[in-house]
Amino acid sequence: MIRIFVLSVAVYVAIAAEVKDFKDCGSVSGKIDTLDIRPCPSFPCQFPKGKNVTVSITMTANAKLTEAKTVVHGIIDGINTPFPINQPDACQDMTCPVDSGSEVTYTNSIFVREVFPKIRLVVKWEIQDQSGQDFICFEVPAEITD
């Protein structure tokens, strides 16, 4: 039983490492402290069809956040293509409100649908504040795979 636990932890660590080389694409009222994407052991992130991709962000607020919305796009040849989000209310994925100077952790998953084409793209993930401004925004290279 202990071997199964150790193996599970080893597999988790192998596929879930902190992403350090993400691009901040316009965070305005928040700062990304850490970013974890599962699965994404290296770039481009490999997002297999029929599986969930989980994003966990620890961030610090530079202004008060009372409402938040998740917006995700795939950038393909420079064209922003919306990714469907089952639950766009980001306050369901973190504690709201967030006071200025406070740290908060956000965790959300996206299902990679079987109908998505196999393609390389840039994933743009935004959490927008109550005024529609980017609280945080990051981009990472990715590839949708079978």
Side-chain angles (χ1 to χ4, degrees), residues 16-23 32-43 45 56 138-141:
E18 184 180 325
V19 177
K20 296 189 185 295
D21 295 327
F22 65 90
K23 176 185 172 192
I32 299 172
D33 299 320
T34 62
L35 171 63
D36 177 56
I37 302 173
R38 288 174 273 146
C40 187
S42 64
F43 286 147
C45 296
S56 183
F138 71 86
E139 291 179 355
V140 293

Side-chain angles (χ1 to χ4, degrees), residues 82-119:
F83 269 44
I85 300 286
N86 288 335
Q87 171 49 279
D89 181 358
C91 289
Q92 298 295 315
D93 304 309
M94 65 183 185
T95 303
C96 289
V98 181
D99 291 325
S100 181
S102 296
E103 185 177 86
V104 65
T105 299
Y106 161 96
T107 302
N108 195 346
S109 293
I110 244 182
F111 184 73
V112 182
R113 296 179 181 178
E114 294 285 348
V115 297
F116 289 170
K118 285 176 42 178
I119 193 166

Side-chain angles (χ1 to χ4, degrees), residues 7 12 31-32 39 50 55 77 79 85 105 110 116-117 124 137 142:
L7 181 59
Y12 176 81
K31 176 185 165 288
I32 299 172
V55 171
D77 289 331
I79 299 170
I85 300 286
T105 299
I110 244 182
F116 289 170
K124 180 178 182 181
C137 178

Side-chain angles (χ1 to χ4, degrees), residues 16 18 21 27-28 39 47-48 50 66 91 107 127 142:
E18 184 180 325
D21 295 327
S27 299
V28 176
F47 296 164
T66 56
C91 289
T107 302
I127 299 176

Side-chain angles (χ1 to χ4, degrees), residues 73-76 80 83 120-124 138-142:
H73 287 89
I75 303 172
I76 304 165
N80 281 336
F83 269 44
R120 283 187 174 234
L121 67 154
V122 173
V123 174
K124 180 178 182 181
F138 71 86
E139 291 179 355
V140 293

